[in-house]
mmCIF file of all heavy atoms in Angstrom:
data_model
loop_
_atom_site.group_PDB
_atom_site.id
_atom_site.type_symbol
_atom_site.label_atom_id
_atom_site.label_comp_id
_atom_site.label_asym_id
_atom_site.label_seq_id
_atom_site.Cartn_x
_atom_site.Cartn_y
_atom_site.Cartn_z
ATOM 1 N N ILE A 38 68.486 0.848 -75.776
ATOM 2 C CA ILE A 38 67.112 0.446 -75.435
ATOM 3 C C ILE A 38 66.596 -0.547 -76.473
ATOM 4 O O ILE A 38 65.954 -1.553 -76.129
ATOM 5 C CB ILE A 38 66.197 1.677 -75.340
ATOM 6 C CG1 ILE A 38 66.600 2.547 -74.150
ATOM 7 C CG2 ILE A 38 64.735 1.259 -75.224
ATOM 8 C CD1 ILE A 38 65.861 3.867 -74.059
ATOM 9 N N VAL A 39 66.863 -0.292 -77.744
ATOM 10 C CA VAL A 39 66.444 -1.219 -78.806
ATOM 11 C C VAL A 39 67.051 -2.601 -78.565
ATOM 12 O O VAL A 39 66.362 -3.628 -78.613
ATOM 13 C CB VAL A 39 66.865 -0.678 -80.190
ATOM 14 C CG1 VAL A 39 66.719 -1.763 -81.259
ATOM 15 C CG2 VAL A 39 66.031 0.549 -80.563
ATOM 16 N N ASP A 40 68.346 -2.629 -78.280
ATOM 17 C CA ASP A 40 69.025 -3.919 -78.083
ATOM 18 C C ASP A 40 68.521 -4.638 -76.840
ATOM 19 O O ASP A 40 68.370 -5.869 -76.843
ATOM 20 C CB ASP A 40 70.534 -3.697 -77.970
ATOM 21 C CG ASP A 40 71.159 -3.218 -79.278
ATOM 22 O OD1 ASP A 40 70.509 -3.371 -80.328
ATOM 23 O OD2 ASP A 40 72.285 -2.680 -79.234
ATOM 24 N N ALA A 41 68.254 -3.880 -75.754
ATOM 25 C CA ALA A 41 67.851 -4.509 -74.491
ATOM 26 C C ALA A 41 66.386 -4.929 -74.487
ATOM 27 O O ALA A 41 66.035 -5.954 -73.883
ATOM 28 C CB ALA A 41 68.112 -3.546 -73.328
ATOM 29 N N LYS A 42 65.532 -4.163 -75.148
ATOM 30 C CA LYS A 42 64.093 -4.397 -75.049
ATOM 31 C C LYS A 42 63.469 -4.993 -76.311
ATOM 32 O O LYS A 42 62.303 -5.395 -76.290
ATOM 33 C CB LYS A 42 63.371 -3.089 -74.705
ATOM 34 C CG LYS A 42 63.820 -2.475 -73.381
ATOM 35 C CD LYS A 42 63.498 -3.401 -72.215
ATOM 36 C CE LYS A 42 63.883 -2.763 -70.887
ATOM 37 N NZ LYS A 42 63.588 -3.657 -69.730
ATOM 38 N N GLY A 43 64.226 -5.012 -77.395
ATOM 39 C CA GLY A 43 63.685 -5.582 -78.622
ATOM 40 C C GLY A 43 62.550 -4.767 -79.209
ATOM 41 O O GLY A 43 61.621 -5.322 -79.811
ATOM 42 N N ILE A 44 62.603 -3.455 -79.028
ATOM 43 C CA ILE A 44 61.571 -2.576 -79.580
ATOM 44 C C ILE A 44 62.153 -1.804 -80.758
ATOM 45 O O ILE A 44 63.354 -1.841 -80.999
ATOM 46 C CB ILE A 44 61.027 -1.602 -78.522
ATOM 47 C CG1 ILE A 44 62.162 -0.736 -77.941
ATOM 48 C CG2 ILE A 44 60.325 -2.365 -77.403
ATOM 49 C CD1 ILE A 44 61.693 0.284 -76.903
ATOM 50 N N SER A 45 61.310 -1.120 -81.478
ATOM 51 C CA SER A 45 61.765 -0.381 -82.649
ATOM 52 C C SER A 45 62.524 0.873 -82.230
ATOM 53 O O SER A 45 62.392 1.355 -81.098
ATOM 54 C CB SER A 45 60.576 0.016 -83.519
ATOM 55 O OG SER A 45 59.792 1.012 -82.866
ATOM 56 N N SER A 46 63.315 1.408 -83.164
ATOM 57 C CA SER A 46 64.057 2.631 -82.878
ATOM 58 C C SER A 46 63.108 3.803 -82.649
ATOM 59 O O SER A 46 63.397 4.684 -81.829
ATOM 60 C CB SER A 46 65.029 2.941 -84.027
ATOM 61 O OG SER A 46 64.325 3.066 -85.259
ATOM 62 N N ALA A 47 61.970 3.818 -83.339
ATOM 63 C CA ALA A 47 60.990 4.892 -83.142
ATOM 64 C C ALA A 47 60.406 4.834 -81.734
ATOM 65 O O ALA A 47 60.200 5.860 -81.082
ATOM 66 C CB ALA A 47 59.876 4.802 -84.181
ATOM 67 N N THR A 48 60.150 3.613 -81.253
ATOM 68 C CA THR A 48 59.608 3.454 -79.893
ATOM 69 C C THR A 48 60.652 3.852 -78.857
ATOM 70 O O THR A 48 60.345 4.513 -77.861
ATOM 71 C CB THR A 48 59.158 2.004 -79.659
ATOM 72 O OG1 THR A 48 58.146 1.675 -80.620
ATOM 73 C CG2 THR A 48 58.590 1.822 -78.267
ATOM 74 N N ALA A 49 61.913 3.477 -79.101
ATOM 75 C CA ALA A 49 62.989 3.856 -78.174
ATOM 76 C C ALA A 49 63.148 5.372 -78.129
ATOM 77 O O ALA A 49 63.360 5.960 -77.058
ATOM 78 C CB ALA A 49 64.297 3.195 -78.595
ATOM 79 N N ALA A 50 63.045 6.021 -79.286
ATOM 80 C CA ALA A 50 63.137 7.485 -79.317
ATOM 81 C C ALA A 50 61.986 8.100 -78.531
ATOM 82 O O ALA A 50 62.157 9.132 -77.866
ATOM 83 C CB ALA A 50 63.117 7.973 -80.762
ATOM 84 N N ARG A 51 60.816 7.462 -78.588
ATOM 85 C CA ARG A 51 59.675 7.991 -77.829
ATOM 86 C C ARG A 51 59.894 7.841 -76.331
ATOM 87 O O ARG A 51 59.448 8.666 -75.537
ATOM 88 C CB ARG A 51 58.390 7.289 -78.258
ATOM 89 C CG ARG A 51 57.143 7.962 -77.714
ATOM 90 C CD ARG A 51 55.877 7.400 -78.291
ATOM 91 N NE ARG A 51 54.722 8.122 -77.762
ATOM 92 C CZ ARG A 51 53.469 7.770 -77.991
ATOM 93 N NH1 ARG A 51 53.197 6.719 -78.756
ATOM 94 N NH2 ARG A 51 52.479 8.466 -77.462
#
Side-chain angles (χ1 to χ4, degrees):
I38 293 173
V39 167
D40 292 343
K42 300 297 183 181
I44 58 179
S45 70
S46 58
T48 300
R51 191 172 182 187

